[in-house]
mmCIF file of all heavy atoms in Angstrom:
data_model
loop_
_atom_site.group_PDB
_atom_site.id
_atom_site.type_symbol
_atom_site.label_atom_id
_atom_site.label_comp_id
_atom_site.label_asym_id
_atom_site.label_seq_id
_atom_site.Cartn_x
_atom_site.Cartn_y
_atom_site.Cartn_z
ATOM 1 N N MET H 1 118.464 117.374 121.738
ATOM 2 C CA MET H 1 117.315 117.092 120.914
ATOM 3 C C MET H 1 117.755 116.204 119.754
ATOM 4 O O MET H 1 118.770 116.399 119.111
ATOM 5 C CB MET H 1 116.745 118.397 120.345
ATOM 6 C CG MET H 1 115.505 118.190 119.505
ATOM 7 S SD MET H 1 114.813 119.670 118.701
ATOM 8 C CE MET H 1 114.924 120.905 119.970
ATOM 9 N N LYS H 2 116.974 115.151 119.511
ATOM 10 C CA LYS H 2 117.301 114.202 118.427
ATOM 11 C C LYS H 2 116.870 114.767 117.095
ATOM 12 O O LYS H 2 115.849 115.447 116.986
ATOM 13 C CB LYS H 2 116.572 112.883 118.700
ATOM 14 C CG LYS H 2 116.889 111.827 117.676
ATOM 15 C CD LYS H 2 116.926 110.469 118.267
ATOM 16 C CE LYS H 2 117.114 109.369 117.267
ATOM 17 N NZ LYS H 2 118.322 109.447 116.498
ATOM 18 N N THR H 3 117.609 114.470 116.077
ATOM 19 C CA THR H 3 117.283 114.874 114.706
ATOM 20 C C THR H 3 116.660 113.716 113.956
ATOM 21 O O THR H 3 117.113 112.562 114.037
ATOM 22 C CB THR H 3 118.528 115.343 113.952
ATOM 23 O OG1 THR H 3 119.122 116.421 114.659
ATOM 24 C CG2 THR H 3 118.200 115.755 112.537
ATOM 25 N N TYR H 4 115.568 113.980 113.249
ATOM 26 C CA TYR H 4 114.881 112.977 112.410
ATOM 27 C C TYR H 4 114.906 113.459 110.979
ATOM 28 O O TYR H 4 114.972 114.702 110.734
ATOM 29 C CB TYR H 4 113.456 112.753 112.882
ATOM 30 C CG TYR H 4 113.398 112.157 114.272
ATOM 31 C CD1 TYR H 4 113.152 112.927 115.373
ATOM 32 C CD2 TYR H 4 113.645 110.802 114.464
ATOM 33 C CE1 TYR H 4 113.090 112.391 116.647
ATOM 34 C CE2 TYR H 4 113.596 110.249 115.733
ATOM 35 C CZ TYR H 4 113.353 111.024 116.814
ATOM 36 O OH TYR H 4 113.287 110.479 118.052
ATOM 37 N N TYR H 5 114.876 112.539 110.076
ATOM 38 C CA TYR H 5 114.862 112.888 108.638
ATOM 39 C C TYR H 5 113.536 112.472 108.017
ATOM 40 O O TYR H 5 113.218 111.322 107.956
ATOM 41 C CB TYR H 5 116.052 112.180 107.949
ATOM 42 C CG TYR H 5 117.344 112.655 108.559
ATOM 43 C CD1 TYR H 5 117.907 112.019 109.644
ATOM 44 C CD2 TYR H 5 117.982 113.765 108.049
ATOM 45 C CE1 TYR H 5 119.072 112.483 110.234
ATOM 46 C CE2 TYR H 5 119.165 114.231 108.614
ATOM 47 C CZ TYR H 5 119.694 113.595 109.707
ATOM 48 O OH TYR H 5 120.854 114.078 110.292
ATOM 49 N N SER H 6 112.761 113.465 107.670
ATOM 50 C CA SER H 6 111.388 113.244 107.158
ATOM 51 C C SER H 6 111.383 113.377 105.658
ATOM 52 O O SER H 6 112.005 114.252 105.081
ATOM 53 C CB SER H 6 110.426 114.276 107.750
ATOM 54 O OG SER H 6 110.406 114.173 109.139
ATOM 55 N N ILE H 7 110.649 112.484 105.005
ATOM 56 C CA ILE H 7 110.485 112.541 103.543
ATOM 57 C C ILE H 7 109.111 113.132 103.262
ATOM 58 O O ILE H 7 108.126 112.672 103.800
ATOM 59 C CB ILE H 7 110.640 111.146 102.909
ATOM 60 C CG1 ILE H 7 112.057 110.645 103.111
ATOM 61 C CG2 ILE H 7 110.290 111.214 101.423
ATOM 62 C CD1 ILE H 7 112.324 109.284 102.497
ATOM 63 N N TYR H 8 109.120 114.134 102.421
ATOM 64 C CA TYR H 8 107.888 114.758 101.978
ATOM 65 C C TYR H 8 107.686 114.446 100.504
ATOM 66 O O TYR H 8 108.626 114.528 99.703
ATOM 67 C CB TYR H 8 107.948 116.285 102.179
ATOM 68 C CG TYR H 8 107.832 116.688 103.624
ATOM 69 C CD1 TYR H 8 108.877 116.607 104.486
ATOM 70 C CD2 TYR H 8 106.591 117.154 104.089
ATOM 71 C CE1 TYR H 8 108.744 116.946 105.827
ATOM 72 C CE2 TYR H 8 106.453 117.492 105.446
ATOM 73 C CZ TYR H 8 107.528 117.404 106.292
ATOM 74 O OH TYR H 8 107.380 117.741 107.599
ATOM 75 N N VAL H 9 106.453 114.060 100.131
ATOM 76 C CA VAL H 9 106.105 113.744 98.779
ATOM 77 C C VAL H 9 105.063 114.750 98.357
ATOM 78 O O VAL H 9 103.997 114.858 98.993
ATOM 79 C CB VAL H 9 105.550 112.309 98.654
ATOM 80 C CG1 VAL H 9 105.102 112.050 97.215
ATOM 81 C CG2 VAL H 9 106.606 111.293 99.080
ATOM 82 N N ASN H 10 105.317 115.500 97.288
ATOM 83 C CA ASN H 10 104.426 116.554 96.845
ATOM 84 C C ASN H 10 104.045 117.473 97.973
ATOM 85 O O ASN H 10 102.860 117.848 98.172
ATOM 86 C CB ASN H 10 103.172 115.962 96.159
ATOM 87 C CG ASN H 10 103.483 115.337 94.837
ATOM 88 O OD1 ASN H 10 104.441 115.732 94.161
ATOM 89 N ND2 ASN H 10 102.673 114.402 94.418
ATOM 90 N N ASP H 11 105.032 117.878 98.783
ATOM 91 C CA ASP H 11 104.863 118.810 99.924
ATOM 92 C C ASP H 11 104.035 118.263 101.089
ATOM 93 O O ASP H 11 103.692 119.012 102.001
ATOM 94 C CB ASP H 11 104.291 120.145 99.445
ATOM 95 C CG ASP H 11 105.235 120.846 98.496
ATOM 96 O OD1 ASP H 11 106.455 120.754 98.685
ATOM 97 O OD2 ASP H 11 104.731 121.534 97.574
ATOM 98 N N ASP H 12 103.692 116.976 101.067
ATOM 99 C CA ASP H 12 103.009 116.367 102.217
ATOM 100 C C ASP H 12 103.902 115.362 102.909
ATOM 101 O O ASP H 12 104.611 114.601 102.247
ATOM 102 C CB ASP H 12 101.730 115.669 101.739
ATOM 103 C CG ASP H 12 100.617 116.646 101.354
ATOM 104 O OD1 ASP H 12 100.494 117.681 101.998
ATOM 105 O OD2 ASP H 12 99.899 116.349 100.405
ATOM 106 N N PHE H 13 103.840 115.304 104.216
ATOM 107 C CA PHE H 13 104.674 114.394 104.978
ATOM 108 C C PHE H 13 104.379 112.966 104.578
ATOM 109 O O PHE H 13 103.219 112.569 104.382
ATOM 110 C CB PHE H 13 104.386 114.576 106.486
ATOM 111 C CG PHE H 13 105.136 113.614 107.355
ATOM 112 C CD1 PHE H 13 106.483 113.801 107.623
ATOM 113 C CD2 PHE H 13 104.532 112.446 107.807
ATOM 114 C CE1 PHE H 13 107.185 112.875 108.394
ATOM 115 C CE2 PHE H 13 105.232 111.531 108.563
ATOM 116 C CZ PHE H 13 106.565 111.767 108.848
ATOM 117 N N TRP H 14 105.432 112.170 104.431
ATOM 118 C CA TRP H 14 105.272 110.782 104.017
ATOM 119 C C TRP H 14 105.733 109.829 105.134
ATOM 120 O O TRP H 14 104.978 109.002 105.608
ATOM 121 C CB TRP H 14 106.055 110.532 102.726
ATOM 122 C CG TRP H 14 105.802 109.210 102.087
ATOM 123 C CD1 TRP H 14 106.636 108.111 102.151
ATOM 124 C CD2 TRP H 14 104.646 108.754 101.382
ATOM 125 N NE1 TRP H 14 106.053 107.035 101.484
ATOM 126 C CE2 TRP H 14 104.875 107.415 100.995
ATOM 127 C CE3 TRP H 14 103.446 109.400 101.036
ATOM 128 C CZ2 TRP H 14 103.888 106.688 100.282
ATOM 129 C CZ3 TRP H 14 102.531 108.681 100.278
ATOM 130 C CH2 TRP H 14 102.754 107.338 99.959
ATOM 131 N N ILE H 15 107.017 109.917 105.523
ATOM 132 C CA ILE H 15 107.583 108.982 106.518
ATOM 133 C C ILE H 15 108.811 109.617 107.124
ATOM 134 O O ILE H 15 109.475 110.457 106.500
ATOM 135 C CB ILE H 15 107.909 107.626 105.848
ATOM 136 C CG1 ILE H 15 108.195 106.555 106.914
ATOM 137 C CG2 ILE H 15 109.014 107.741 104.853
ATOM 138 C CD1 ILE H 15 108.229 105.127 106.343
ATOM 139 N N ALA H 16 109.140 109.209 108.368
ATOM 140 C CA ALA H 16 110.321 109.750 109.050
ATOM 141 C C ALA H 16 111.290 108.640 109.362
ATOM 142 O O ALA H 16 110.900 107.495 109.612
ATOM 143 C CB ALA H 16 109.919 110.458 110.333
ATOM 144 N N PHE H 17 112.594 108.969 109.374
ATOM 145 C CA PHE H 17 113.640 108.003 109.692
ATOM 146 C C PHE H 17 114.578 108.560 110.728
ATOM 147 O O PHE H 17 114.688 109.793 110.897
ATOM 148 C CB PHE H 17 114.460 107.681 108.417
ATOM 149 C CG PHE H 17 113.664 106.912 107.391
ATOM 150 C CD1 PHE H 17 113.007 107.612 106.399
ATOM 151 C CD2 PHE H 17 113.601 105.554 107.415
ATOM 152 C CE1 PHE H 17 112.258 106.922 105.423
ATOM 153 C CE2 PHE H 17 112.852 104.867 106.464
ATOM 154 C CZ PHE H 17 112.187 105.546 105.467
ATOM 155 N N ASP H 18 115.261 107.676 111.454
ATOM 156 C CA ASP H 18 116.191 108.077 112.487
ATOM 157 C C ASP H 18 117.524 108.547 111.904
ATOM 158 O O ASP H 18 118.248 109.326 112.514
ATOM 159 C CB ASP H 18 116.444 106.930 113.473
ATOM 160 C CG ASP H 18 115.207 106.581 114.262
ATOM 161 O OD1 ASP H 18 114.457 107.483 114.616
ATOM 162 O OD2 ASP H 18 115.021 105.375 114.569
ATOM 163 N N THR H 19 117.913 108.027 110.737
ATOM 164 C CA THR H 19 119.195 108.392 110.158
ATOM 165 C C THR H 19 118.991 108.892 108.717
ATOM 166 O O THR H 19 118.051 108.494 108.025
ATOM 167 C CB THR H 19 120.159 107.213 110.114
ATOM 168 O OG1 THR H 19 119.682 106.218 109.196
ATOM 169 C CG2 THR H 19 120.361 106.583 111.490
ATOM 170 N N GLU H 20 119.903 109.767 108.327
ATOM 171 C CA GLU H 20 119.873 110.300 106.971
ATOM 172 C C GLU H 20 120.091 109.204 105.937
ATOM 173 O O GLU H 20 119.484 109.203 104.905
ATOM 174 C CB GLU H 20 120.918 111.420 106.827
ATOM 175 C CG GLU H 20 120.846 112.102 105.493
ATOM 176 C CD GLU H 20 121.861 113.258 105.351
ATOM 177 O OE1 GLU H 20 122.732 113.361 106.187
ATOM 178 O OE2 GLU H 20 121.687 114.027 104.394
ATOM 179 N N ARG H 21 120.950 108.244 106.297
ATOM 180 C CA ARG H 21 121.252 107.147 105.373
ATOM 181 C C ARG H 21 119.988 106.356 105.014
ATOM 182 O O ARG H 21 119.744 106.014 103.885
ATOM 183 C CB ARG H 21 122.329 106.245 105.982
ATOM 184 C CG ARG H 21 122.729 105.140 105.074
ATOM 185 C CD ARG H 21 123.864 104.318 105.703
ATOM 186 N NE ARG H 21 124.202 103.218 104.819
ATOM 187 C CZ ARG H 21 125.111 102.320 105.070
ATOM 188 N NH1 ARG H 21 125.799 102.427 106.217
ATOM 189 N NH2 ARG H 21 125.387 101.391 104.219
ATOM 190 N N GLU H 22 119.214 106.019 106.059
ATOM 191 C CA GLU H 22 117.942 105.308 105.840
ATOM 192 C C GLU H 22 116.972 106.100 104.969
ATOM 193 O O GLU H 22 116.317 105.569 104.088
ATOM 194 C CB GLU H 22 117.234 104.993 107.168
ATOM 195 C CG GLU H 22 117.919 103.991 108.038
ATOM 196 C CD GLU H 22 117.250 103.822 109.392
ATOM 197 O OE1 GLU H 22 116.747 104.865 109.911
ATOM 198 O OE2 GLU H 22 117.199 102.703 109.899
ATOM 199 N N ALA H 23 116.915 107.405 105.233
ATOM 200 C CA ALA H 23 115.994 108.265 104.453
ATOM 201 C C ALA H 23 116.408 108.324 102.994
ATOM 202 O O ALA H 23 115.582 108.247 102.104
ATOM 203 C CB ALA H 23 115.977 109.667 105.064
ATOM 204 N N VAL H 24 117.686 108.509 102.743
ATOM 205 C CA VAL H 24 118.180 108.577 101.369
ATOM 206 C C VAL H 24 117.938 107.258 100.627
ATOM 207 O O VAL H 24 117.531 107.253 99.489
ATOM 208 C CB VAL H 24 119.694 108.965 101.342
ATOM 209 C CG1 VAL H 24 120.296 108.810 99.970
ATOM 210 C CG2 VAL H 24 119.865 110.386 101.854
ATOM 211 N N LYS H 25 118.197 106.151 101.327
ATOM 212 C CA LYS H 25 117.971 104.820 100.678
ATOM 213 C C LYS H 25 116.515 104.644 100.316
ATOM 214 O O LYS H 25 116.147 104.224 99.231
ATOM 215 C CB LYS H 25 118.452 103.727 101.648
ATOM 216 C CG LYS H 25 118.328 102.331 101.071
ATOM 217 C CD LYS H 25 118.836 101.301 102.067
ATOM 218 C CE LYS H 25 118.622 99.907 101.532
ATOM 219 N NZ LYS H 25 119.063 98.892 102.507
ATOM 220 N N TYR H 26 115.600 104.975 101.275
ATOM 221 C CA TYR H 26 114.171 104.833 101.023
ATOM 222 C C TYR H 26 113.728 105.713 99.869
ATOM 223 O O TYR H 26 112.988 105.313 98.993
ATOM 224 C CB TYR H 26 113.399 105.157 102.286
ATOM 225 C CG TYR H 26 111.886 105.011 102.122
ATOM 226 C CD1 TYR H 26 111.274 103.831 102.419
ATOM 227 C CD2 TYR H 26 111.099 106.073 101.652
ATOM 228 C CE1 TYR H 26 109.904 103.671 102.274
ATOM 229 C CE2 TYR H 26 109.735 105.944 101.501
ATOM 230 C CZ TYR H 26 109.156 104.726 101.785
ATOM 231 O OH TYR H 26 107.805 104.620 101.613
ATOM 232 N N ARG H 27 114.205 106.994 99.877
ATOM 233 C CA ARG H 27 113.822 107.945 98.828
ATOM 234 C C ARG H 27 114.278 107.437 97.473
ATOM 235 O O ARG H 27 113.557 107.521 96.479
ATOM 236 C CB ARG H 27 114.431 109.285 99.152
ATOM 237 C CG ARG H 27 114.151 110.343 98.083
ATOM 238 C CD ARG H 27 114.837 111.630 98.435
ATOM 239 N NE ARG H 27 114.646 112.585 97.393
ATOM 240 C CZ ARG H 27 115.354 113.694 97.323
ATOM 241 N NH1 ARG H 27 116.251 113.984 98.213
ATOM 242 N NH2 ARG H 27 115.160 114.525 96.324
ATOM 243 N N HIS H 28 115.480 106.891 97.388
ATOM 244 C CA HIS H 28 116.017 106.393 96.125
ATOM 245 C C HIS H 28 115.148 105.253 95.588
ATOM 246 O O HIS H 28 114.775 105.232 94.407
ATOM 247 C CB HIS H 28 117.474 105.912 96.320
ATOM 248 C CG HIS H 28 118.079 105.360 95.080
ATOM 249 N ND1 HIS H 28 118.471 106.155 94.036
ATOM 250 C CD2 HIS H 28 118.360 104.093 94.702
ATOM 251 C CE1 HIS H 28 118.960 105.398 93.081
ATOM 252 N NE2 HIS H 28 118.908 104.135 93.430
ATOM 253 N N GLU H 29 114.783 104.325 96.434
ATOM 254 C CA GLU H 29 113.892 103.196 96.040
ATOM 255 C C GLU H 29 112.517 103.722 95.669
ATOM 256 O O GLU H 29 111.908 103.226 94.699
ATOM 257 C CB GLU H 29 113.806 102.162 97.180
ATOM 258 C CG GLU H 29 115.086 101.408 97.398
ATOM 259 C CD GLU H 29 115.557 100.624 96.147
ATOM 260 O OE1 GLU H 29 114.721 99.982 95.505
ATOM 261 O OE2 GLU H 29 116.755 100.648 95.890
ATOM 262 N N PHE H 30 111.997 104.658 96.412
ATOM 263 C CA PHE H 30 110.662 105.228 96.153
ATOM 264 C C PHE H 30 110.626 105.888 94.801
ATOM 265 O O PHE H 30 109.655 105.762 94.014
ATOM 266 C CB PHE H 30 110.310 106.206 97.255
ATOM 267 C CG PHE H 30 108.926 106.784 97.162
ATOM 268 C CD1 PHE H 30 107.836 106.061 97.689
ATOM 269 C CD2 PHE H 30 108.687 107.990 96.548
ATOM 270 C CE1 PHE H 30 106.566 106.599 97.609
ATOM 271 C CE2 PHE H 30 107.393 108.507 96.464
ATOM 272 C CZ PHE H 30 106.339 107.808 96.988
ATOM 273 N N GLN H 31 111.702 106.634 94.451
ATOM 274 C CA GLN H 31 111.706 107.365 93.174
ATOM 275 C C GLN H 31 111.804 106.449 91.961
ATOM 276 O O GLN H 31 111.501 106.879 90.861
ATOM 277 C CB GLN H 31 112.863 108.409 93.183
ATOM 278 C CG GLN H 31 112.566 109.573 94.066
ATOM 279 C CD GLN H 31 113.694 110.557 94.071
ATOM 280 O OE1 GLN H 31 114.836 110.200 93.993
ATOM 281 N NE2 GLN H 31 113.355 111.827 94.199
ATOM 282 N N LYS H 32 112.227 105.201 92.154
ATOM 283 C CA LYS H 32 112.292 104.260 91.033
ATOM 284 C C LYS H 32 110.911 103.941 90.497
ATOM 285 O O LYS H 32 110.736 103.645 89.321
ATOM 286 C CB LYS H 32 112.965 102.967 91.466
ATOM 287 C CG LYS H 32 114.449 103.088 91.676
ATOM 288 C CD LYS H 32 115.018 101.721 92.066
ATOM 289 C CE LYS H 32 116.499 101.766 92.291
ATOM 290 N NZ LYS H 32 117.054 100.465 92.702
ATOM 291 N N THR H 33 109.883 103.985 91.388
ATOM 292 C CA THR H 33 108.514 103.603 90.986
ATOM 293 C C THR H 33 107.537 104.753 91.020
ATOM 294 O O THR H 33 106.431 104.620 90.502
ATOM 295 C CB THR H 33 107.992 102.482 91.900
ATOM 296 O OG1 THR H 33 108.043 102.906 93.261
ATOM 297 C CG2 THR H 33 108.830 101.208 91.737
ATOM 298 N N HIS H 34 107.927 105.904 91.616
ATOM 299 C CA HIS H 34 107.013 107.027 91.692
ATOM 300 C C HIS H 34 107.741 108.249 91.121
ATOM 301 O O HIS H 34 108.821 108.586 91.533
ATOM 302 C CB HIS H 34 106.646 107.341 93.128
ATOM 303 C CG HIS H 34 105.924 106.209 93.827
ATOM 304 N ND1 HIS H 34 106.585 105.100 94.301
ATOM 305 C CD2 HIS H 34 104.616 106.022 94.079
ATOM 306 C CE1 HIS H 34 105.699 104.296 94.851
ATOM 307 N NE2 HIS H 34 104.500 104.827 94.716
ATOM 308 N N HIS H 35 107.103 108.894 90.182
ATOM 309 C CA HIS H 35 107.697 110.077 89.541
ATOM 310 C C HIS H 35 107.003 111.325 90.078
ATOM 311 O O HIS H 35 106.191 111.945 89.406
ATOM 312 C CB HIS H 35 107.589 109.987 88.010
ATOM 313 C CG HIS H 35 108.306 108.783 87.464
ATOM 314 N ND1 HIS H 35 109.651 108.701 87.395
ATOM 315 C CD2 HIS H 35 107.823 107.591 87.031
ATOM 316 C CE1 HIS H 35 109.995 107.505 86.894
ATOM 317 N NE2 HIS H 35 108.915 106.842 86.681
ATOM 318 N N VAL H 36 107.344 111.636 91.317
ATOM 319 C CA VAL H 36 106.791 112.774 92.027
ATOM 320 C C VAL H 36 107.895 113.574 92.716
ATOM 321 O O VAL H 36 109.019 113.083 92.853
ATOM 322 C CB VAL H 36 105.726 112.373 93.052
ATOM 323 C CG1 VAL H 36 104.486 111.744 92.388
ATOM 324 C CG2 VAL H 36 106.320 111.398 94.047
ATOM 325 N N LYS H 37 107.588 114.782 93.119
ATOM 326 C CA LYS H 37 108.552 115.615 93.832
ATOM 327 C C LYS H 37 108.736 115.079 95.240
ATOM 328 O O LYS H 37 107.782 114.881 95.984
ATOM 329 C CB LYS H 37 107.996 117.070 93.875
ATOM 330 C CG LYS H 37 108.856 117.982 94.732
ATOM 331 C CD LYS H 37 108.165 119.328 94.861
ATOM 332 C CE LYS H 37 108.790 120.105 95.994
ATOM 333 N NZ LYS H 37 107.958 121.186 96.401
ATOM 334 N N THR H 38 109.984 114.800 95.579
ATOM 335 C CA THR H 38 110.299 114.345 96.970
ATOM 336 C C THR H 38 111.417 115.188 97.567
ATOM 337 O O THR H 38 112.256 115.705 96.793
ATOM 338 C CB THR H 38 110.705 112.868 97.035
ATOM 339 O OG1 THR H 38 111.870 112.698 96.213
ATOM 340 C CG2 THR H 38 109.590 111.970 96.515
ATOM 341 N N GLU H 39 111.431 115.346 98.839
ATOM 342 C CA GLU H 39 112.495 116.053 99.505
ATOM 343 C C GLU H 39 112.685 115.489 100.877
ATOM 344 O O GLU H 39 111.738 114.970 101.514
ATOM 345 C CB GLU H 39 112.276 117.560 99.543
ATOM 346 C CG GLU H 39 111.019 117.985 100.257
ATOM 347 C CD GLU H 39 110.804 119.476 100.179
ATOM 348 O OE1 GLU H 39 111.772 120.222 100.102
ATOM 349 O OE2 GLU H 39 109.641 119.873 100.233
ATOM 350 N N ILE H 40 113.900 115.556 101.402
ATOM 351 C CA ILE H 40 114.207 115.113 102.758
ATOM 352 C C ILE H 40 114.474 116.347 103.608
ATOM 353 O O ILE H 40 115.272 117.209 103.248
ATOM 354 C CB ILE H 40 115.453 114.186 102.768
ATOM 355 C CG1 ILE H 40 115.159 112.908 101.958
ATOM 356 C CG2 ILE H 40 115.844 113.853 104.205
ATOM 357 C CD1 ILE H 40 116.343 112.003 101.805
ATOM 358 N N ILE H 41 113.780 116.428 104.730
ATOM 359 C CA ILE H 41 113.938 117.566 105.632
ATOM 360 C C ILE H 41 114.329 117.067 107.002
ATOM 361 O O ILE H 41 113.700 116.174 107.547
ATOM 362 C CB ILE H 41 112.590 118.360 105.723
ATOM 363 C CG1 ILE H 41 112.201 118.872 104.337
ATOM 364 C CG2 ILE H 41 112.715 119.492 106.742
ATOM 365 C CD1 ILE H 41 110.858 119.580 104.313
ATOM 366 N N ALA H 42 115.440 117.626 107.531
ATOM 367 C CA ALA H 42 115.882 117.246 108.867
ATOM 368 C C ALA H 42 115.080 118.066 109.876
ATOM 369 O O ALA H 42 114.968 119.299 109.755
ATOM 370 C CB ALA H 42 117.362 117.548 109.000
ATOM 371 N N THR H 43 114.510 117.362 110.864
ATOM 372 C CA THR H 43 113.688 118.045 111.884
ATOM 373 C C THR H 43 114.130 117.583 113.250
ATOM 374 O O THR H 43 114.690 116.516 113.406
ATOM 375 C CB THR H 43 112.186 117.738 111.723
ATOM 376 O OG1 THR H 43 111.989 116.331 111.776
ATOM 377 C CG2 THR H 43 111.674 118.258 110.383
ATOM 378 N N GLY H 44 113.907 118.377 114.260
ATOM 379 C CA GLY H 44 114.205 118.023 115.627
ATOM 380 C C GLY H 44 112.933 117.856 116.394
ATOM 381 O O GLY H 44 111.836 118.214 115.991
ATOM 382 N N GLY H 45 113.038 117.175 117.557
ATOM 383 C CA GLY H 45 111.872 116.994 118.409
ATOM 384 C C GLY H 45 111.393 115.566 118.356
ATOM 385 O O GLY H 45 112.183 114.635 118.309
ATOM 386 N N ASN H 46 110.060 115.388 118.294
ATOM 387 C CA ASN H 46 109.492 114.067 118.323
ATOM 388 C C ASN H 46 109.358 113.514 116.911
ATOM 389 O O ASN H 46 109.084 114.240 115.975
ATOM 390 C CB ASN H 46 108.097 114.132 118.943
ATOM 391 C CG ASN H 46 108.140 114.520 120.387
ATOM 392 O OD1 ASN H 46 109.088 114.215 121.090
ATOM 393 N ND2 ASN H 46 107.111 115.224 120.853
ATOM 394 N N LYS H 47 109.580 112.211 116.793
ATOM 395 C CA LYS H 47 109.449 111.528 115.518
ATOM 396 C C LYS H 47 107.942 111.337 115.251
ATOM 397 O O LYS H 47 107.194 110.926 116.088
ATOM 398 C CB LYS H 47 110.090 110.135 115.577
ATOM 399 C CG LYS H 47 110.038 109.372 114.283
ATOM 400 C CD LYS H 47 110.816 108.090 114.415
ATOM 401 C CE LYS H 47 110.833 107.289 113.130
ATOM 402 N NZ LYS H 47 111.570 106.057 113.299
ATOM 403 N N SER H 48 107.522 111.717 114.042
ATOM 404 C CA SER H 48 106.127 111.629 113.680
ATOM 405 C C SER H 48 106.003 110.875 112.375
ATOM 406 O O SER H 48 106.745 111.100 111.429
ATOM 407 C CB SER H 48 105.538 113.026 113.535
ATOM 408 O OG SER H 48 104.215 112.941 113.030
ATOM 409 N N ASN H 49 105.056 109.971 112.315
ATOM 410 C CA ASN H 49 104.714 109.312 111.066
ATOM 411 C C ASN H 49 103.272 109.597 110.681
ATOM 412 O O ASN H 49 102.548 108.780 110.192
ATOM 413 C CB ASN H 49 104.949 107.786 111.159
ATOM 414 C CG ASN H 49 106.445 107.447 110.992
ATOM 415 O OD1 ASN H 49 107.113 108.077 110.183
ATOM 416 N ND2 ASN H 49 106.921 106.509 111.739
ATOM 417 N N VAL H 50 102.873 110.807 111.012
ATOM 418 C CA VAL H 50 101.474 111.252 110.732
ATOM 419 C C VAL H 50 101.581 112.449 109.782
ATOM 420 O O VAL H 50 102.379 113.358 109.986
ATOM 421 C CB VAL H 50 100.799 111.675 112.054
ATOM 422 C CG1 VAL H 50 99.372 112.135 111.758
ATOM 423 C CG2 VAL H 50 100.807 110.576 113.054
ATOM 424 N N GLY H 51 100.771 112.433 108.725
ATOM 425 C CA GLY H 51 100.742 113.542 107.769
ATOM 426 C C GLY H 51 100.335 114.816 108.427
ATOM 427 O O GLY H 51 99.605 114.850 109.410
ATOM 428 N N ARG H 52 100.785 115.943 107.885
ATOM 429 C CA ARG H 52 100.409 117.211 108.518
ATOM 430 C C ARG H 52 99.103 117.751 108.057
ATOM 431 O O ARG H 52 98.551 117.384 107.078
ATOM 432 C CB ARG H 52 101.503 118.278 108.226
ATOM 433 C CG ARG H 52 101.882 118.426 106.790
ATOM 434 C CD ARG H 52 102.954 119.463 106.661
ATOM 435 N NE ARG H 52 103.554 119.292 105.330
ATOM 436 C CZ ARG H 52 103.863 120.314 104.559
ATOM 437 N NH1 ARG H 52 103.703 121.507 104.945
ATOM 438 N NH2 ARG H 52 104.440 120.092 103.417
#
């Protein structure tokens, strides 16, 4: 099973990445302009770019 790294903004799904490095880079750039709660969650299964 493949692992994906999903970014959640204010507890809502935002975007998914194939690698942790891409997710961390995107989150870092996102936090420069948005002052909101963000977290990266590793998930398995299908990659989704649809909010929950």
Side-chain angles (χ1 to χ4, degrees):
M1 183 184 317
K2 182 145 175 62
T3 301
Y4 296 100
Y5 298 89
S6 300
I7 295 180
Y8 286 79
V9 176
N10 289 335
D11 296 325
D12 287 323
F13 176 79
W14 188 256
I15 192 169
F17 292 93
D18 293 325
T19 66
E20 185 176 14
R21 183 177 179 180
E22 289 175 325
V24 170
K25 183 178 176 182
Y26 181 91
R27 178 184 176 193
H28 180 74
E29 291 299 317
F30 185 84
Q31 287 180 326
K32 287 181 180 179
T33 56
H34 299 79
H35 300 286
V36 294
K37 174 187 164 196
T38 60
E39 60 184 330
I40 296 175
I41 299 175
T43 58
N46 296 328
K47 182 177 182 180
S48 173
N49 279 323
V50 180
R52 52 182 163 138

